[in-house]
Amino acid sequence: MKKVTVVGAGKYGSMTALRVAEYDLVDSVVMTDIVDGLPQGLALDMNQSRYVENFSSKIIGTNDYEDTADSDVVVITAGLPRKPGMTRMDLLEVNANIVSDVTKNILNYSKSPIIIVVTNPLDQMTTLVSQVSGLPKNKVIGQAGVLDSSRFAYFISEKLNVNMNEIEALTLGSHGETMVPVPSQCRVAGKPLNELLSNDEISELVQKTSDGGAEIVGLLKTGSAYFAPSSAAATMVKSIVSDSNEVMPACSWVDGEFGINDVFLGVPTKLGSNGVTEVVEIDLEESELNALKGASEAVKAKVEELNSILSQ
Ligand code: APR
């Protein structure tokens, strides 16, 4: 049976841990945090829901990395969330220190886990985990595209007043200003989105998707979104622990696909028990491909920024 660890028992981490446990696919879900008592208290509360919700996966709350030993999958959520007006980049330095520390601690007890990164700024933190861990590239993945696609789908469903299960939506690129929604791959009840909405209307939904996280941060005033984000992270864990090889947009190492090289970027990714099984090259319109290439350049520039901060 499998073991999943979630680092950071804040809003995003605790909700992810609960969702994974409720799938009932693993033996245990370990939640760890630097705050004494927080993961333990939350784990106790979650375990006391197992009788009603009828799942067997045990939730273990701890401040000790020894309890994370031999994890198959680790989700890193530790870090600070955005405050109103902050961009994900403002979080760079503080979260880089947290994430690199967490990665070293995890690797002390788990030899070759698959690591899913959710801490922002996402693309840079995913790169950092890869650098610090030295794990094979297929074992480090960032969560962004499932969430952004789900937000896009929500805005499409509201605009057209259709059920969510009739919508196929896709976003690629970075988790940030250079997110690349892909209208050519979006369908509503099998019909292409651009037959149902004008270009201007699609652009409006694209903008709302891009601003989706910031809109929630602005309303909440403290903290950032976690219900939809945790669904996204948990579904990635599910595809890995059940080896279902589902294709979903994820921040994966791109090595020649789409004519792009050497960067962690949001691309369609097949996820199975070994992590990334394949980066799936789908057909994109020229403008979408150019936007994806633009996003890769933007992420590379931000990674340089990260590296210069780390070398100071
Ligand atoms: N090790 C373990 N846990 C840590 C560490 C660390 N070094 N540093 C901070 N944490 C914990 C905090 O104690 C807190 O419980 O990370 C948790 C973060 O939780 P929240 O503040 O509730 O933030 P959350 O909404 O969960 O977001 C976490 O995900 O979406 C991103 O931008 C968001 O980077 C942020 C991350």
Side-chain angles (χ1 to χ4, degrees), residues 7-13 32-35 38 65 77-82 91 95 98 101-102 118-120 224-225:
V7 185
K11 299 223 166 103
Y12 197 151
T32 183
D33 199 286
I34 43 168
V35 179
L38 176 70
Y65 277 93
T77 79
L80 302 188
R82 273 193 286 175
L91 294 177
N95 282 353
I98 293 174
D101 194 42
V102 164
V118 312
T119 305
N120 277 313
S224 56

Side-chain angles (χ1 to χ4, degrees), residues 6-16 32-36 38-39 42 62-63 65 76-83 88 91 94-95 97-102 105 117-122 125 143 147 151 175 217 220 222-226 229:
V6 178
V7 185
K11 299 223 166 103
Y12 197 151
S14 57
M15 200 65 213
T16 302
T32 183
D33 199 286
I34 43 168
V35 179
D36 182 36
L38 176 70
L42 291 171
T62 181
N63 305 112
Y65 277 93
I76 300 181
T77 79
L80 302 188
R82 273 193 286 175
K83 298 197 170 72
R88 292 184 179 95
L91 294 177
V94 58
N95 282 353
N97 289 325
I98 293 174
V99 166
S100 78
D101 194 42
V102 164
N105 281 317
V117 184
V118 312
T119 305
N120 277 313
L122 192 272
M125 291 303 110
Q143 186 298 116
L147 169 62
R151 286 183 170 148
H175 191 46
V217 170
L220 294 178
T222 66
S224 56
Y226 59 98

